[in-house]
Amino acid sequence: MQYAQDLLKTLYTMAMLVEARDAYTGGHLWRVSRFSYLLAEDLDLPKAEVEKIALGGFLHDLGKVGVPDAILNKPDKLSDAEYEVIKTHPQIGAELLRDHPLAELVMDAVLKHHETPDGKGYPQGLQGEQIPLVARIVGLTDAFDAMTSTRPYRQGMSLEQALAIVQDHLGSQFDRVLGERFIKLGQAGHLNNIISHSEPGIPLQHCAACGPIIVIPRAVADGAELFCPGCASAYRLSRQGGRLALSPVGYTNPAKARRPRADAGLISDLLHEFGQELLVSRKPSLLGRLFG
Ligand SMILES: [Fe+2]
């Protein structure tokens, strides 16, 4: 069992490599994973299936490690040729994973999260229920997080605006049944502690110029300096009675601002939360294979 857990840890660590490449989207993987977990739980799926969907949410963009920085981090609209490069990331992810002993747990999420019910997605142009459930869930929650996240060059949408867009694209870009349930979760307030957060209870903090895009790693001490990943401005963290606040220090440091976080604490928590049933339920198929 310990060996299987260690393997699962390698998957989470691989996913973190993607976030290290793209500092602007701090917390995206955690949020997609958490939204996906909520939606899967709402469908009353078995616990092991819910955990598998949460894991798929965390891993879905693995293949983006193979997309060049100039395209991955480009703030302007992509050219057709650049978009073709972006569209290779599901297959790159699938190839990177193929021989990993736990690949079967996340392959559908990685390879098929950009398929859409109308058949206009990629890479295969699958339609409707040809698209595995995990990929339909992650496709929806990934798009929702992109809509509600602020980037240095644009403000994130409100919950209501993003849910209205989901509503408008039911049956075409988003699975109708899943989309309707997700809208209900949003209207009931269940998404509020995930939107604009990077971990449970840790909201993204505001840069005066770029908006709420600064991730606060949980291990950072009171008084530490943090940097906006957009404009590289320095801020000093204060933890006043558990509440986080940043005050500007008055200089910029692009090298420190670009430095990715390596959040070992988050990975341990995810393993604890999303790893137990998942691995146990794979006995004897998975564990039997691992232990021969
Ligand atoms: Fe993707």
Side-chain angles (χ1 to χ4, degrees):
M1 190 66 187
Q2 183 59 47
Y3 179 52
Q5 278 206 353
D6 289 346
L7 281 174
L8 194 54
K9 194 168 186 174
T10 67
L11 283 184
Y12 279 118
T13 306
M14 284 161 78
M16 285 291 196
L17 297 176
V18 181
E19 212 146 90
R21 287 282 313 287
D22 186 359
Y24 292 161
T25 60
H28 171 68
L29 301 179
W30 175 78
R31 290 189 298 275
V32 171
S33 176
R34 181 62 63 160
F35 289 136
S36 301
Y37 182 90
L38 271 186
L39 184 50
E41 221 180 16
D42 193 52
L43 297 171
D44 283 331
L45 298 174
K47 179 84 170 139
E49 195 60 25
V50 175
E51 291 187 352
K52 186 175 136 180
I53 289 168
L55 178 66
F58 210 87
L59 266 287
H60 72 280
D61 263 345
L62 179 65
K64 282 196 175 164
V65 296
V67 176
D69 274 338
I71 298 177
L72 192 62
N73 293 326
K74 186 176 174 183
D76 314 314
K77 197 174 183 324
L78 297 175
S79 69
D80 288 349
E82 288 166 338
Y83 190 54
E84 288 305 311
V85 176
I86 286 274
K87 282 165 68 177
T88 61
H89 78 270
Q91 278 149 324
I92 294 172
E95 283 159 26
L96 288 172
L97 269 173
R98 193 172 48 209
D99 287 334
H100 191 285
L102 300 183
E104 55 150 337
L105 294 179
V106 290
M107 193 55 96
D108 281 342
V110 169
L111 184 59
K112 299 174 183 173
H113 69 277
H114 286 291
E115 303 287 354
T116 56
D118 59 10
K120 292 182 183 164
Y122 59 87
Q124 292 170 283
L126 301 176
Q127 291 184 342
E129 297 201 349
Q130 290 177 326
I131 307 165
L133 177 64
V134 59
R136 280 180 276 143
I137 289 178
V138 173
L140 167 63
T141 58
D142 183 26
F144 177 80
D145 188 61
M147 290 189 265
T148 49
S149 293
T150 293
R151 301 272 188 272
Y153 46 87
R154 68 152 171 81
Q155 177 76 40
M157 286 177 201
S158 69
L159 169 72
E160 292 74 21
Q161 284 173 306
L163 293 180
I165 289 178
V166 172
Q167 175 79 44
D168 285 346
H169 293 82
L170 291 177
S172 53
Q173 193 181 339
F174 306 120
D175 181 284
R176 180 169 295 280
V177 173
L178 296 175
E180 283 171 350
R181 294 188 86 132
F182 193 70
I183 290 169
K184 287 212 173 76
L185 287 171
Q187 289 168 339
H190 295 307
L191 310 179
N192 295 342
N193 290 333
I194 307 173
I195 294 169
S196 284
H197 285 62
S198 57
E199 289 186 38
I202 306 187
L204 293 167
Q205 296 295 304
H206 282 254
C207 165
C210 304
I213 63 170
I214 303 177
V215 171
I216 312 294
R218 74 177 70 175
V220 172
D222 191 31
E225 275 188 2
L226 291 161
F227 297 86
C228 172
C231 66
S233 296
Y235 287 89
R236 191 169 307 287
L237 176 70
S238 69
R239 294 180 178 277
Q240 300 148 331
R243 268 199 72 235
L244 300 169
L246 293 181
S247 46
V249 181
Y251 74 100
T252 61
N253 187 326
K256 286 187 176 171
R258 290 289 305 169
R259 194 175 154 181
R261 63 190 182 134
D263 203 332
L266 178 60
I267 292 180
S268 303
D269 286 0
L270 290 167
L271 272 176
H272 191 70
E273 196 175 3
F274 299 149
Q276 307 306 316
E277 280 301 313
L278 185 62
L279 295 175
V280 171
S281 71
R282 298 279 138 173
K283 284 179 186 169
S285 65
L286 175 68
L287 297 186
R289 192 149 50 76
L290 291 176
F291 296 112

